[in-house]
């Protein structure tokens, strides 16, 4: 799982609550990403950020929000507007230049709505 | 639009036999292709990538992949499978038009089951 940490590993949420998932990296990467993984659907991109204080919506951004105030950190908030938030959430980071362009992933957070 | 397909949901192979996990892609321009592996309840681990150069790419844990431009394929291979290779495998292609230099598009994954 490299130099990326995600916390918590498991998270339980009641309906109507907002929750924030943490992602920190010490790889000095400019770009960071949030994915959602559901069985049989692979990984779907929620948000990504190429540089501090800037981020873009991915394919399934509705009901989620992010911030990128520091290079090392890219927290994801799952809001009450997300109708089906139960899933496995993965954070990743990558360089934005040079030959090392692969993404490195954290260990993931499993979110369950009660 | 860029896309990648993994036509098999599951591949079964006996330990010691060669394995192949298939991936095909559709891109505009030259593709950047990647393979990742995921063990249960873990993040994805990078295995190998094709950017340019030799069509046969060697990666971690004895895996290799063959880039075939005419067939638009990037199949993952290993000469002799191990039970410990049992995991979920993802193929990915770099998205040139998403604004992020290294934004990836992932396939739906192929579950590899290696029987002892």
């Amino acid at each position: 799982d490299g130099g990326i940490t995600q916390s918590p590993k498991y998270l339980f949420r009641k309906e109507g609550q907002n929750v924030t998932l943490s992602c920190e990296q010490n790889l000095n990467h400019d770009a960071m990403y949030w994915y959602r993984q559901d069985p049989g659907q692979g990984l779907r991109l929620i948000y990504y950020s190429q540089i501090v204080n800037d981020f873009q919506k991915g394919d399934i951004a509705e009901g989620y929000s992010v911030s990128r105030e520091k290079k090392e950190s890219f927290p994801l908030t799952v809001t009450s507007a997300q109708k089906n938030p139960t899933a496995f959430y993965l954070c990743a980071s990558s360089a934005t230049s040079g030959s090392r362009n692969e993404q490195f992933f954290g260990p993931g957070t499993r979110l369950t709505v009660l | 639009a860029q896309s990648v397909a993994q036509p098999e949901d599951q591949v079964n192979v006996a330990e010691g036999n060669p394995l192949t996990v298939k991936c095909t892609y559709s891109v505009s321009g030259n593709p950047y292709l990647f393979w990742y592996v995921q063990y249960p309840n873990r993040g994805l681990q990078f295995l190998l990538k094709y950017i340019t150069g030799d069509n046969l790419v060697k990666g971690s844990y004895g895996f290799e992949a063959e880039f075939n431009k005419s067939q638009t394929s990037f199949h993952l291979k290993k000469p002799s499978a191990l039970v410990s290779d049992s995991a979920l495998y993802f193929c990915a292609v770099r998205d040139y038009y998403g604004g992020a230099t290294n934004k990836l598009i992932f396939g739906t994954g192929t579950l590899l089951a290696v029987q002892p």
Side-chain angles (χ1 to χ4, degrees), chain B residues 4-104:
Chain B
V4 63
Q6 295 181 243
E8 301 158 317
D9 291 335
Q10 183 163 338
V11 170
N12 298 305
V13 64
E15 188 175 29
N17 283 359
L19 69 87
T20 299
V21 183
K22 296 180 180 178
C23 173
T24 60
Y25 65 89
S26 175
V27 301
S28 300
N30 295 321
Y32 282 24
L33 295 158
F34 303 81
W35 275 103
Y36 286 84
V37 61
Q38 184 182 33
Y39 297 97
N41 295 309
R42 301 289 298 277
L44 275 66
Q45 296 178 32
F46 169 74
L47 281 178
L48 51 79
K49 66 182 177 183
Y50 172 83
I51 305 300
T52 187
D54 290 341
N55 290 340
L56 186 64
V57 179
K58 294 189 182 298
S60 306
Y61 313 119
F63 284 93
E64 57 190 27
E66 185 172 10
F67 172 69
N68 188 316
K69 189 172 183 177
S70 63
Q71 297 185 4
T72 61
S73 67
F74 189 55
H75 300 331
L76 182 70
K77 300 181 179 183
K78 188 174 183 181
S80 178
L82 300 172
V83 172
S84 58
D85 292 331
S86 299
L88 187 58
Y89 290 81
F90 288 98
C91 182
V93 64
R94 194 179 81 169
D95 185 357
Y96 280 78
Y97 302 107
T101 304
N102 291 313
K103 182 172 168 241
L104 297 179

Side-chain angles (χ1 to χ4, degrees), chain A residues 27-46:
Chain A
L27 300 170
N28 199 33
H29 286 160
D30 285 313
M32 297 187 74
Y33 313 80
W34 273 106
Y35 295 92
R36 171 181 171 140
Q37 185 177 19
D38 296 282
Q41 296 194 45
L43 276 68
R44 293 183 289 169
L45 184 64
I46 305 173

Side-chain angles (χ1 to χ4, degrees), chain A residues 70-104:
Chain A
K70 298 187 300 181
K71 186 176 185 177
E72 301 79 16
S73 178
F74 191 41
L76 173 74
T77 296
V78 184
T79 74
S80 57
Q82 170 51 236
K83 299 306 179 187
N84 185 23
T86 294
F88 191 50
Y89 290 87
L90 288 162
C91 179
S93 70
S94 75
T96 54
S97 62
S99 62
R100 293 302 302 275
N101 43 24
E102 60 267 28
Q103 292 185 13
F104 294 85

